[in-house]
Amino acid sequence: MNKDNSKVDKGLQGNEKIEEAIATLQSQSTPELLAHALTVIRRRMKEQGQLIIAVEPSPLSNEMNVHGKNWWVAFTGFDEELKGGDSVKSTFLTDMDKLFQSALTVDEIEGVIINPWNRTIMLNKRLISIILGTADN
């Protein structure tokens, strides 16, 4: 059954395809299903898809730090974000391609976790490079 996307931010519309691909991958983890999930994420990125990124204020400065110790945390929709209760302090929408490109340039992180509470996929820098089409063969 399709969700009513009329009340969803335009950049998040279609992200349910990512959730479905991740759920399939979680039920049967194979290289083929991983490739499918990465392809779905790439397609959403090329459609100017967005993710919700979790941030929290840095106690030592006026800068914002992305939530998570070694991984940035992002969500496909507000429903996924809310599954974590009140652990997320603040969020904003970001373009997938910009998030992934930024993740590759920050040495202190391992990658991006999408939907850490439910339909989870951990995209390390190698997987992000594959999504962006910049991976070495």
Side-chain angles (χ1 to χ4, degrees):
M1 179 182 285
N2 289 337
K3 291 183 195 177
D4 175 18
N5 274 339
S6 64
K7 296 190 175 31
V8 175
D9 285 86
K10 184 177 180 182
L12 300 177
Q13 291 176 7
N15 282 357
E16 66 277 357
K17 296 173 193 171
I18 295 172
E19 295 169 12
E20 292 165 7
I22 293 170
T24 303
L25 177 63
Q26 287 176 327
S27 69
Q28 186 179 1
S29 183
T30 67
E32 294 80 15
L33 289 176
L34 174 59
H36 172 69
L38 297 179
T39 299
V40 170
I41 294 168
R42 179 186 300 128
R43 282 183 191 144
R44 283 293 304 131
M45 179 186 75
K46 290 185 180 236
E47 296 169 353
Q48 281 72 53
Q50 293 184 315
L51 293 171
I52 302 165
I53 187 113
V55 295
E56 61 186 26
S58 170
L60 302 175
S61 71
N62 290 333
E63 297 175 5
M64 298 296 274
N65 293 329
V66 177
H67 185 74
K69 294 184 184 186
N70 294 319
W71 294 81
W72 286 352
V73 177
F75 305 93
T76 52
F78 291 104
D79 289 345
E80 287 296 324
E81 176 206 341
L82 293 174
K83 290 177 182 169
D86 64 350
S87 59
V88 175
K89 305 295 184 219
S90 184
T91 60
F92 65 92
L93 291 174
T94 187
D95 294 333
M96 287 182 193
D97 60 341
K98 290 178 183 165
L99 172 66
F100 295 150
Q101 289 169 8
S102 294
L104 292 179
T105 65
V106 178
D107 293 334
E108 295 80 20
I109 68 157
E110 300 296 319
V112 177
I113 299 174
I114 297 177
N115 297 337
W117 323 128
N118 183 29
R119 296 201 170 153
T120 304
I121 189 167
M122 295 176 74
L123 302 173
N124 62 28
K125 291 184 179 186
R126 172 86 175 130
L127 295 178
I128 291 170
S129 293
I130 291 169
I131 291 168
L132 291 171
T134 60
D136 296 329
N137 292 331

